[in-house]
Amino acid sequence: MLQLQFWGACGRVTGSCTLLSVGRRHVLIDCGLIQGSPEDEELNFEPFPFDPQRIDAVILTHAHLDHSGRLPLLTKSGFKGRIYTHRASRDLCRIMLRDAAYLNEMDAQIESRKRARRGEKPVEPLYTRDEAASCLRHFRGVDYDQPVDITDGVRACFRDAGHILGAAFVELDLDGDGQRRRVTFSGDLGHAASPLMRDPAQPNETDLVILESTYGDRRHPPWARTVEQLRSVLDAAWADRGVVLIPAFAVGRTQELLLLLHMHYREWQLDRWRIHLDGPLGVEATAIYAEHYAELGPDATAFARRDGFQLPNLQFTRTPAQSQQLNKADGGTLIIAGAGMCNGGRIRHHLKHQLWKRSTHVLIVGYQAPGTLGRRLQDGARSVTLWGEPIQVAAKIHTLDGLSAHADAKELRSWYGRIPGRPVVALNHGEPEPIRALAAALETEYGASVRVPHFASRIDLKAL
């Protein structure tokens, strides 16, 4: 047997999970959380559609939870093998999986108290902090461009994807009963204009590429325009004497924002602002970025080595009590906090205290999955509900698409076009419309043979 089976990120941008079978060996590529609406996230509690005990190893492309977030559930369910990923991704997962587990426990406690009042049974968290810690013992860190034997018949080479720290596209050399194939998983590819990361590496010849399609139907605006938009939002908020709230993913987006503020600190008169990075996860992730500065782009490397991503007037807000003090924030305050889609974390508390004010500016700087609070705000909701309380949305909502850490449609096509031989391409990790648009473009521009896997579908690698 030499095949792939798709168990996630089919027609959606989260929940990446693909099963590779080579003879009697089984390797999982990514094992991510399904994120979005409460109904979507409930799917994470369903049993895996395969036996975790039969998985020999896991290859993790990068640390974002939509690729890594169900790994503790996998080990909890009986997986005993190794999890291979870049060294920086391993370090990021140490904090991200612990944080996800803490949120699981808090959500379960809150729901259990509600059920107790109704005379119902309590609920269990998806996984606990102890289970996350147990999972981390399975991690093995590797370097870029250094082939590693994963299991019999499977050799992997992690290449720089330019997405976030440690992100990789992975080239797999497979040997099943004398049948040899190379399969390349793109993971998430980076936006080449960003100064935070290096550009994605040159891909090699392959028989099949599994390509993400998050922004398969759109172009990011020019970087200079994005920078100018950021400045204009800050200027408008200063004129309104308002607070700026930036929901930002703790890994990647937060460090990119700090780098941009550093690069334009004097020009934008940022010394007049009170800037807060609110949340221990963002603070710890920033320290890990600084530690692995050699993996970053040139501007970010210099900033990280010299200043550790610290600005003169930046305050790291770690404790809940420190965060609560920001509820009283007034004009001239800029708060960066997670979660990036506003579906959890401290940003929800800041939104509760600021959304109803006309002077507040909310800056959306990343992808917002359908069903999340961030997407509702982005789509123009006039009222939202937080902890059972309706909140009027009087704040100004801005979207900066150009800060995306994902490659846009042109960059995805260009990356594919750099692969010698125009291999078969399977599109996943995207919503249906971006997938359709990217498929049509690849077929027209390169004559590519495009497949769109659905949930549980298979690709026979021998038939390529």
mmCIF file of all heavy atoms in Angstrom, residues 378-405:
data_model
loop_
_atom_site.group_PDB
_atom_site.id
_atom_site.type_symbol
_atom_site.label_atom_id
_atom_site.label_comp_id
_atom_site.label_asym_id
_atom_site.label_seq_id
_atom_site.Cartn_x
_atom_site.Cartn_y
_atom_site.Cartn_z
ATOM 1 N N GLN A 378 -15.815 41.599 11.418
ATOM 2 C CA GLN A 378 -15.303 41.917 10.086
ATOM 3 C C GLN A 378 -16.444 42.073 9.085
ATOM 4 O O GLN A 378 -16.390 42.922 8.184
ATOM 5 C CB GLN A 378 -14.351 40.809 9.645
ATOM 6 C CG GLN A 378 -13.511 41.125 8.421
ATOM 7 C CD GLN A 378 -12.512 40.012 8.161
ATOM 8 O OE1 GLN A 378 -12.868 38.832 8.155
ATOM 9 N NE2 GLN A 378 -11.261 40.365 7.958
ATOM 10 N N ASP A 379 -17.492 41.272 9.253
ATOM 11 C CA ASP A 379 -18.631 41.307 8.339
ATOM 12 C C ASP A 379 -19.643 42.397 8.671
ATOM 13 O O ASP A 379 -20.697 42.489 8.027
ATOM 14 C CB ASP A 379 -19.330 39.947 8.325
ATOM 15 C CG ASP A 379 -18.490 38.871 7.629
ATOM 16 O OD1 ASP A 379 -17.535 39.236 6.917
ATOM 17 O OD2 ASP A 379 -18.800 37.677 7.804
ATOM 18 N N GLY A 380 -19.369 43.214 9.708
ATOM 19 C CA GLY A 380 -20.215 44.373 9.980
ATOM 20 C C GLY A 380 -21.300 44.183 11.012
ATOM 21 O O GLY A 380 -22.278 44.941 11.023
ATOM 22 N N ALA A 381 -21.152 43.200 11.915
ATOM 23 C CA ALA A 381 -22.166 43.008 12.957
ATOM 24 C C ALA A 381 -22.341 44.287 13.761
ATOM 25 O O ALA A 381 -21.364 44.938 14.139
ATOM 26 C CB ALA A 381 -21.758 41.861 13.882
ATOM 27 N N ARG A 382 -23.565 44.653 14.017
ATOM 28 C CA ARG A 382 -23.851 45.860 14.797
ATOM 29 C C ARG A 382 -24.001 45.554 16.288
ATOM 30 O O ARG A 382 -24.026 46.461 17.116
ATOM 31 C CB ARG A 382 -25.115 46.551 14.289
ATOM 32 C CG ARG A 382 -25.056 46.964 12.824
ATOM 33 C CD ARG A 382 -23.737 47.636 12.450
ATOM 34 N NE ARG A 382 -23.395 48.762 13.327
ATOM 35 C CZ ARG A 382 -22.196 49.264 13.454
ATOM 36 N NH1 ARG A 382 -21.174 48.725 12.798
ATOM 37 N NH2 ARG A 382 -21.969 50.297 14.252
ATOM 38 N N SER A 383 -24.123 44.280 16.623
ATOM 39 C CA SER A 383 -24.225 43.886 18.028
ATOM 40 C C SER A 383 -23.664 42.477 18.166
ATOM 41 O O SER A 383 -23.832 41.637 17.277
ATOM 42 C CB SER A 383 -25.685 43.923 18.493
ATOM 43 O OG SER A 383 -25.803 43.487 19.842
ATOM 44 N N VAL A 384 -22.958 42.233 19.267
ATOM 45 C CA VAL A 384 -22.438 40.902 19.559
ATOM 46 C C VAL A 384 -22.759 40.573 21.009
ATOM 47 O O VAL A 384 -23.104 41.457 21.800
ATOM 48 C CB VAL A 384 -20.907 40.816 19.320
ATOM 49 C CG1 VAL A 384 -20.577 41.087 17.849
ATOM 50 C CG2 VAL A 384 -20.152 41.782 20.222
ATOM 51 N N THR A 385 -22.633 39.314 21.350
ATOM 52 C CA THR A 385 -22.912 38.874 22.714
ATOM 53 C C THR A 385 -21.638 38.309 23.323
ATOM 54 O O THR A 385 -20.997 37.431 22.740
ATOM 55 C CB THR A 385 -24.019 37.811 22.737
ATOM 56 O OG1 THR A 385 -25.213 38.361 22.168
ATOM 57 C CG2 THR A 385 -24.314 37.362 24.162
ATOM 58 N N LEU A 386 -21.278 38.831 24.504
ATOM 59 C CA LEU A 386 -20.105 38.354 25.232
ATOM 60 C C LEU A 386 -20.523 37.986 26.644
ATOM 61 O O LEU A 386 -21.052 38.829 27.381
ATOM 62 C CB LEU A 386 -19.020 39.433 25.253
ATOM 63 C CG LEU A 386 -18.360 39.730 23.906
ATOM 64 C CD1 LEU A 386 -17.541 41.014 23.972
ATOM 65 C CD2 LEU A 386 -17.470 38.562 23.499
ATOM 66 N N TRP A 387 -20.314 36.716 26.998
ATOM 67 C CA TRP A 387 -20.720 36.196 28.314
ATOM 68 C C TRP A 387 -22.193 36.504 28.606
ATOM 69 O O TRP A 387 -22.569 36.904 29.713
ATOM 70 C CB TRP A 387 -19.823 36.768 29.409
ATOM 71 C CG TRP A 387 -18.402 36.344 29.254
ATOM 72 C CD1 TRP A 387 -17.866 35.117 29.555
ATOM 73 C CD2 TRP A 387 -17.331 37.118 28.725
ATOM 74 N NE1 TRP A 387 -16.530 35.089 29.246
ATOM 75 C CE2 TRP A 387 -16.165 36.302 28.733
ATOM 76 C CE3 TRP A 387 -17.225 38.431 28.249
ATOM 77 C CZ2 TRP A 387 -14.939 36.750 28.294
ATOM 78 C CZ3 TRP A 387 -16.008 38.875 27.799
ATOM 79 C CH2 TRP A 387 -14.876 38.049 27.827
ATOM 80 N N GLY A 388 -23.019 36.310 27.584
ATOM 81 C CA GLY A 388 -24.452 36.485 27.749
ATOM 82 C C GLY A 388 -24.933 37.911 27.709
ATOM 83 O O GLY A 388 -26.145 38.170 27.811
ATOM 84 N N GLU A 389 -24.035 38.869 27.531
ATOM 85 C CA GLU A 389 -24.413 40.280 27.527
ATOM 86 C C GLU A 389 -24.313 40.845 26.114
ATOM 87 O O GLU A 389 -23.261 40.771 25.490
ATOM 88 C CB GLU A 389 -23.490 41.069 28.458
ATOM 89 C CG GLU A 389 -23.818 42.563 28.518
ATOM 90 C CD GLU A 389 -22.887 43.324 29.443
ATOM 91 O OE1 GLU A 389 -22.128 42.669 30.184
ATOM 92 O OE2 GLU A 389 -22.912 44.570 29.397
ATOM 93 N N PRO A 390 -25.409 41.433 25.599
ATOM 94 C CA PRO A 390 -25.340 42.045 24.271
ATOM 95 C C PRO A 390 -24.515 43.337 24.324
ATOM 96 O O PRO A 390 -24.679 44.157 25.221
ATOM 97 C CB PRO A 390 -26.807 42.328 23.922
ATOM 98 C CG PRO A 390 -27.510 42.404 25.247
ATOM 99 C CD PRO A 390 -26.763 41.502 26.176
ATOM 100 N N ILE A 391 -23.612 43.487 23.348
ATOM 101 C CA ILE A 391 -22.735 44.650 23.279
ATOM 102 C C ILE A 391 -22.935 45.330 21.924
ATOM 103 O O ILE A 391 -22.793 44.695 20.880
ATOM 104 C CB ILE A 391 -21.246 44.269 23.429
ATOM 105 C CG1 ILE A 391 -21.015 43.402 24.676
ATOM 106 C CG2 ILE A 391 -20.362 45.505 23.434
ATOM 107 C CD1 ILE A 391 -21.203 44.122 25.976
ATOM 108 N N GLN A 392 -23.272 46.608 21.950
ATOM 109 C CA GLN A 392 -23.400 47.358 20.704
ATOM 110 C C GLN A 392 -22.017 47.576 20.100
ATOM 111 O O GLN A 392 -21.056 47.879 20.809
ATOM 112 C CB GLN A 392 -24.066 48.712 20.948
ATOM 113 C CG GLN A 392 -24.219 49.558 19.693
ATOM 114 C CD GLN A 392 -24.723 50.953 19.993
ATOM 115 O OE1 GLN A 392 -24.873 51.326 21.166
ATOM 116 N NE2 GLN A 392 -24.983 51.735 18.962
ATOM 117 N N VAL A 393 -21.905 47.424 18.784
ATOM 118 C CA VAL A 393 -20.637 47.661 18.100
ATOM 119 C C VAL A 393 -20.659 49.076 17.530
ATOM 120 O O VAL A 393 -21.182 49.324 16.445
ATOM 121 C CB VAL A 393 -20.386 46.639 16.977
ATOM 122 C CG1 VAL A 393 -19.040 46.907 16.301
ATOM 123 C CG2 VAL A 393 -20.429 45.217 17.530
ATOM 124 N N ALA A 394 -20.096 50.002 18.298
ATOM 125 C CA ALA A 394 -19.972 51.384 17.826
ATOM 126 C C ALA A 394 -18.550 51.675 17.357
ATOM 127 O O ALA A 394 -18.316 52.675 16.673
ATOM 128 C CB ALA A 394 -20.363 52.356 18.944
ATOM 129 N N ALA A 395 -17.620 50.810 17.716
ATOM 130 C CA ALA A 395 -16.216 51.003 17.348
ATOM 131 C C ALA A 395 -16.034 50.905 15.836
ATOM 132 O O ALA A 395 -16.845 50.298 15.131
ATOM 133 C CB ALA A 395 -15.346 49.958 18.040
ATOM 134 N N LYS A 396 -14.971 51.497 15.361
ATOM 135 C CA LYS A 396 -14.614 51.389 13.943
ATOM 136 C C LYS A 396 -13.797 50.111 13.746
ATOM 137 O O LYS A 396 -12.803 49.892 14.442
ATOM 138 C CB LYS A 396 -13.826 52.622 13.508
ATOM 139 C CG LYS A 396 -14.595 53.931 13.684
ATOM 140 C CD LYS A 396 -13.723 55.127 13.358
ATOM 141 C CE LYS A 396 -14.489 56.433 13.562
ATOM 142 N NZ LYS A 396 -14.780 56.680 15.010
ATOM 143 N N ILE A 397 -14.214 49.272 12.797
ATOM 144 C CA ILE A 397 -13.564 47.990 12.541
ATOM 145 C C ILE A 397 -12.763 48.110 11.245
ATOM 146 O O ILE A 397 -13.295 48.470 10.195
ATOM 147 C CB ILE A 397 -14.589 46.847 12.411
ATOM 148 C CG1 ILE A 397 -15.597 46.886 13.589
ATOM 149 C CG2 ILE A 397 -13.865 45.514 12.323
ATOM 150 C CD1 ILE A 397 -14.981 46.666 14.943
ATOM 151 N N HIS A 398 -11.476 47.843 11.322
ATOM 152 C CA HIS A 398 -10.586 47.919 10.165
ATOM 153 C C HIS A 398 -10.012 46.528 9.892
ATOM 154 O O HIS A 398 -9.763 45.759 10.811
ATOM 155 C CB HIS A 398 -9.415 48.876 10.427
ATOM 156 C CG HIS A 398 -9.814 50.199 10.975
ATOM 157 N ND1 HIS A 398 -10.121 51.284 10.189
ATOM 158 C CD2 HIS A 398 -9.971 50.619 12.272
ATOM 159 C CE1 HIS A 398 -10.426 52.321 10.953
ATOM 160 N NE2 HIS A 398 -10.341 51.945 12.227
ATOM 161 N N THR A 399 -9.767 46.227 8.619
ATOM 162 C CA THR A 399 -9.124 44.974 8.236
ATOM 163 C C THR A 399 -7.870 45.275 7.427
ATOM 164 O O THR A 399 -7.920 46.033 6.454
ATOM 165 C CB THR A 399 -10.068 44.094 7.397
ATOM 166 O OG1 THR A 399 -11.207 43.731 8.190
ATOM 167 C CG2 THR A 399 -9.356 42.832 6.939
ATOM 168 N N LEU A 400 -6.749 44.686 7.846
ATOM 169 C CA LEU A 400 -5.489 44.797 7.115
ATOM 170 C C LEU A 400 -5.132 43.424 6.565
ATOM 171 O O LEU A 400 -4.496 42.619 7.229
ATOM 172 C CB LEU A 400 -4.363 45.309 8.023
ATOM 173 C CG LEU A 400 -4.108 46.826 8.030
ATOM 174 C CD1 LEU A 400 -5.302 47.559 8.623
ATOM 175 C CD2 LEU A 400 -2.845 47.149 8.804
ATOM 176 N N ASP A 401 -5.573 43.151 5.331
ATOM 177 C CA ASP A 401 -5.298 41.850 4.724
ATOM 178 C C ASP A 401 -3.815 41.645 4.454
ATOM 179 O O ASP A 401 -3.333 40.521 4.411
ATOM 180 C CB ASP A 401 -6.069 41.717 3.408
ATOM 181 C CG ASP A 401 -7.562 41.559 3.627
ATOM 182 O OD1 ASP A 401 -7.937 40.964 4.652
ATOM 183 O OD2 ASP A 401 -8.344 42.035 2.782
ATOM 184 N N GLY A 402 -3.089 42.734 4.253
ATOM 185 C CA GLY A 402 -1.689 42.617 3.846
ATOM 186 C C GLY A 402 -0.773 42.080 4.915
ATOM 187 O O GLY A 402 0.387 41.757 4.630
ATOM 188 N N LEU A 403 -1.234 41.981 6.164
ATOM 189 C CA LEU A 403 -0.404 41.429 7.227
ATOM 190 C C LEU A 403 -0.530 39.914 7.334
ATOM 191 O O LEU A 403 0.018 39.313 8.254
ATOM 192 C CB LEU A 403 -0.763 42.064 8.581
ATOM 193 C CG LEU A 403 -0.348 43.516 8.774
ATOM 194 C CD1 LEU A 403 -0.626 43.944 10.211
ATOM 195 C CD2 LEU A 403 1.122 43.723 8.459
ATOM 196 N N SER A 404 -1.244 39.300 6.406
ATOM 197 C CA SER A 404 -1.407 37.857 6.468
ATOM 198 C C SER A 404 -0.059 37.150 6.403
ATOM 199 O O SER A 404 0.839 37.551 5.655
ATOM 200 C CB SER A 404 -2.287 37.375 5.313
ATOM 201 O OG SER A 404 -2.352 35.962 5.316
ATOM 202 N N ALA A 405 0.070 36.083 7.173
ATOM 203 C CA ALA A 405 1.268 35.249 7.110
ATOM 204 C C ALA A 405 1.163 34.191 6.020
ATOM 205 O O ALA A 405 2.086 33.409 5.826
ATOM 206 C CB ALA A 405 1.502 34.572 8.459
#
